[in-house]
Amino acid sequence: QVQLVESGGGLVQAGGSLRLSCAASASVLSVDDMAWYRQAQGKQRELVATITYSGSANYADSVKGRFTISRDNAKTTVYLQMNSLKPEDTAVYYCNADRVATPWGPQYNIWGQGTQVTVSS
């Protein structure tokens, strides 16, 4: 069973920073494109940032200049550094892997369980 496990969420004041991590389970050999999504209460899930295997990143307009996505391919881990946080960044943050390689073959569209980020004003 392939899993993505997020960590690093919490409560922070506006203007503060958090760093989220998302690690793939030990059975994963490699991961293609990875992404962070978020879902605020009562709203649809939205894309926050994406990163290719080679490290090319893209961001939602709402987080450009404040968030940075990065990855460690050796550890099959993706990170999201969030700076200058705003109350509107409050949401459950999810990581996603579009394709992972495992000893028993590829698996697609894997989601983590989510981690709560709360930004107080």
Side-chain angles (χ1 to χ4, degrees), residues 8-52:
L11 173 64
V12 64
Q13 288 189 331
S17 299
L18 283 174
R19 188 188 193 216
L20 306 183
S21 299
C22 171
S25 51
S27 58
V28 172
L29 302 175
S30 66
V31 184
D32 289 351
D33 294 354
M34 301 187 79
W36 286 96
Y37 288 75
R38 66 186 181 187
Q39 187 167 18
Q41 194 167 6
K43 296 187 176 181
Q44 289 190 333
R45 190 172 298 189
E46 64 174 357
L47 180 63
V48 175
T50 63
I51 188 165
T52 65

Side-chain angles (χ1 to χ4, degrees), residues 99-102 104-108:
R99 179 184 180 279
V100 302
T102 73
W104 53 87
Q107 296 193 27
Y108 299 90

Side-chain angles (χ1 to χ4, degrees), residues 82-97:
M82 305 185 294
N83 299 327
S84 302
L85 282 161
K86 304 175 181 180
E88 51 264 42
D89 294 318
T90 295
V92 178
Y93 284 70
Y94 299 89
C95 68
N96 172 267

Side-chain angles (χ1 to χ4, degrees), residues 2-13:
V2 173
Q3 289 185 317
L4 297 177
V5 179
E6 298 106 334
S7 61
L11 173 64
V12 64
Q13 288 189 331

